[in-house]
Amino acid sequence: MNLKFKNKKISGILSILPEKEIRFEDELDSYNFSRSQSMKLKLIMGYDKRRVVLEGTTPSDLCVFGLNYLFDNGHLAKDDIDALVMINQVPDHFMPATTQVIQGKLGLKHDLYCVDIPQACAGYPMGLNQAFMLLEQEEINKVVVLNAELLSLKVSPSDRGSRPLTGDAAAITIVENDPEGGPIYGTVNFDGSRADTLIIPAGGAKIPSNEKTAEMTTDRNGNSRALNHMVMKGDAVFNFVLNEVPEMIETLLTYAGSTKEEVDYFMCHQPNRFVLKKLADKLKVPYEKMPYNIVELFGNSCSPTLAVNLTHNLSEKLVNDSLLVCLAGFGAGLSWTSLLMKMGNLDFCETINYN
């Protein structure tokens, strides 16, 4: 599906990273592989460091910390927030919604639209789509999009396929009306027939968590996990990205009447260095126009990786210049989404540590 919006803009982006850092070498003994095999994997995939939360930290904790930072620094006023949109898969609670927890913690106004959307790696463009649609309402002028994920809590310590790349993070993106804003083009795609490609089998109504779902088993690749842990079919995910994402981006550019040469940056979800370099090769896009360094520095935090990519790699340019940017998210669902928009002259574009 193609989407089109106008008179909207992103006015600021903040990424929030946990302070706890784990290096790939620190966990080698947890995997059922030789150290030489694991180090070869590190070189290929780009593993190095990742950020994870301390026990007891919740998505709302990261978001409240970040929002208070924005309030304290004059980047945002409580009464100006008309809507909170949360994108995440590991909420504070099954009930109530995490946006409502955040509203209560911060004492925000009652006349506030709160919504949680359970999307994963494609969630950054999805959250922006929701914000753009909400801004069509006369009484909504500023939307705060929250992306917060703690997938490290859902990955087995003995899963070499997922554990080394999984990190935690949150992001806050301010979206508002802009009478002079140009067109924003988007695409959204879903294929639920492949939902088991990336899945946490237990914990919901289908398979409630119990002692049995916590039992560890070892697959044919030597990875040990329980039904309570995330399962990723790595080969299927790789093929999905290379088959679906280039076509999506080509479709988006055609719809917008733009070319790859006109796009300043292709800012993508960050699964790992290997996948993104292959994606750039298939699109015939120079590596410098598609940054791929987030997993090796901070880990794959699901939907927040796209915001972390923006604040880490383009902070100065997005504050001082205007860029034509293609945003692309892809992952669990399966889902793949994208946006093409002018971004720049932001009020802020920063990365901070949660403490």
Side-chain angles (χ1 to χ4, degrees), residues 57-67 86 88 90-93 98-99 101-102 105 148 150 354:
T57 304
T58 67
S60 71
D61 291 334
L62 297 179
C63 292
V64 167
F65 181 85
L67 285 165
M86 166 66 85
N88 100 326
V90 183
D92 282 32
H93 312 281
T98 306
T99 47
V101 172
I102 292 169
K105 285 184 176 182
L150 308 184
Y354 172 80

Side-chain angles (χ1 to χ4, degrees), residues 224-287:
S224 296
R225 66 176 77 89
L227 291 174
N228 293 333
H229 293 134
M230 184 181 77
V231 180
M232 177 176 65
K233 299 179 180 178
D235 290 346
V237 171
F238 176 78
N239 291 330
F240 152 66
V241 173
L242 287 217
N243 288 334
E244 306 292 359
V245 176
E247 182 179 349
M248 171 184 69
I249 291 175
E250 297 282 6
T251 298
L252 175 69
L253 293 174
T254 300
Y255 178 52
S258 297
T259 66
K260 284 180 280 190
E261 290 71 27
E262 292 173 322
V263 177
D264 294 303
Y265 288 95
F266 293 84
M267 304 301 284
C268 296
H269 164 61
Q270 300 278 303
N272 58 59
R273 181 174 66 194
F274 178 75
V275 169
L276 284 171
K277 291 182 77 171
K278 291 295 184 183
L279 178 59
D281 290 340
K282 188 156 187 181
L283 278 167
K284 298 180 180 178
V285 170
Y287 292 156

Side-chain angles (χ1 to χ4, degrees), residues 323-336:
L323 304 171
L324 182 62
V325 177
C326 175
L327 305 174
F330 38 86
L334 291 173
S335 53
W336 55 112

Side-chain angles (χ1 to χ4, degrees), residues 11-317:
S11 57
I13 308 171
L14 180 72
S15 296
I16 306 101
L17 296 169
E19 280 198 317
K20 182 179 179 180
E21 183 176 87
I22 298 176
R23 290 187 171 274
F24 180 70
E25 288 86 347
D26 296 338
E27 299 183 314
L28 291 185
D29 293 337
S30 298
Y31 308 130
N32 188 24
F33 299 91
S34 69
R35 295 181 72 87
S36 61
Q37 284 178 303
S38 294
M39 293 306 292
K40 182 178 179 180
L41 185 70
K42 173 185 175 178
L43 292 174
I44 294 172
M45 307 302 281
Y47 299 154
D48 190 8
K49 301 173 290 186
R50 59 192 184 94
R51 300 286 188 91
V52 300
V53 295
L54 298 176
E55 184 177 354
T57 304
T58 67
S60 71
D61 291 334
L62 297 179
C63 292
V64 167
F65 181 85
L67 285 165
N68 278 324
Y69 175 87
L70 296 181
F71 299 149
D72 293 343
N73 286 275
H75 293 313
L76 183 66
K78 288 186 178 183
D79 288 343
D80 289 342
I81 302 173
D82 299 311
L84 289 177
V85 176
M86 166 66 85
I87 310 294
N88 100 326
Q89 298 269 272
V90 183
D92 282 32
H93 312 281
F94 281 147
M95 182 188 300
T98 306
T99 47
Q100 293 168 32
V101 172
I102 292 169
Q103 181 216 26
K105 285 184 176 182
L106 291 172
L108 301 180
K109 62 189 181 184
H110 292 174
D111 184 16
L112 179 73
Y113 189 100
C114 293
V115 61
D116 286 29
I117 301 176
Q119 285 294 326
C121 302
Y124 193 75
M126 289 293 294
L128 294 177
N129 287 338
Q130 183 68 39
F132 297 149
M133 289 186 278
L134 285 170
L135 287 168
E136 293 296 318
Q137 300 302 309
E138 291 183 1
E139 294 192 5
I140 296 181
N141 296 298
K142 186 167 291 191
V143 179
V144 174
V145 179
L146 307 167
N147 295 79
E149 204 63 86
L150 308 184
L151 274 183
S152 72
L153 304 178
K154 295 295 184 180
V155 177
S156 167
S158 301
D159 187 344
R160 193 187 70 155
S162 299
R163 183 75 168 188
L165 62 84
T166 304
D168 302 322
I172 300 170
T173 306
I174 311 301
V175 186
E176 54 190 288
N177 287 310
D178 178 13
E180 299 180 358
I184 300 170
Y185 300 93
T187 66
V188 293
N189 305 273
F190 299 92
D191 182 4
S193 70
R194 291 184 278 175
D196 65 349
T197 303
L198 270 163
I199 190 170
I200 301 173
K206 180 74 172 178
I207 308 176
S209 291
N210 53 44
E211 290 183 5
K212 190 169 182 60
T213 64
E215 293 177 0
M216 300 286 283
T217 60
T218 302
D219 66 17
R220 58 186 177 87
N221 295 316
N223 295 301
S224 296
R225 66 176 77 89
L227 291 174
N228 293 333
H229 293 134
M230 184 181 77
V231 180
M232 177 176 65
K233 299 179 180 178
D235 290 346
V237 171
F238 176 78
N239 291 330
F240 152 66
V241 173
L242 287 217
N243 288 334
E244 306 292 359
V245 176
E247 182 179 349
M248 171 184 69
I249 291 175
E250 297 282 6
T251 298
L252 175 69
L253 293 174
T254 300
Y255 178 52
S258 297
T259 66
K260 284 180 280 190
E261 290 71 27
E262 292 173 322
V263 177
D264 294 303
Y265 288 95
F266 293 84
M267 304 301 284
C268 296
H269 164 61
Q270 300 278 303
N272 58 59
R273 181 174 66 194
F274 178 75
V275 169
L276 284 171
K277 291 182 77 171
K278 291 295 184 183
L279 178 59
D281 290 340
K282 188 156 187 181
L283 278 167
K284 298 180 180 178
V285 170
Y287 292 156
E288 58 267 24
K289 292 180 71 169
M290 187 183 289
Y292 51 75
N293 58 348
I294 297 304
V295 168
E296 62 194 82
L297 295 173
F298 310 115
N300 176 352
S301 57
C302 205
S303 70
T305 65
L306 223 159
V308 177
N309 193 4
L310 290 164
T311 60
H312 181 74
N313 288 307
L314 296 184
S315 178
E316 185 175 346
K317 290 182 179 180

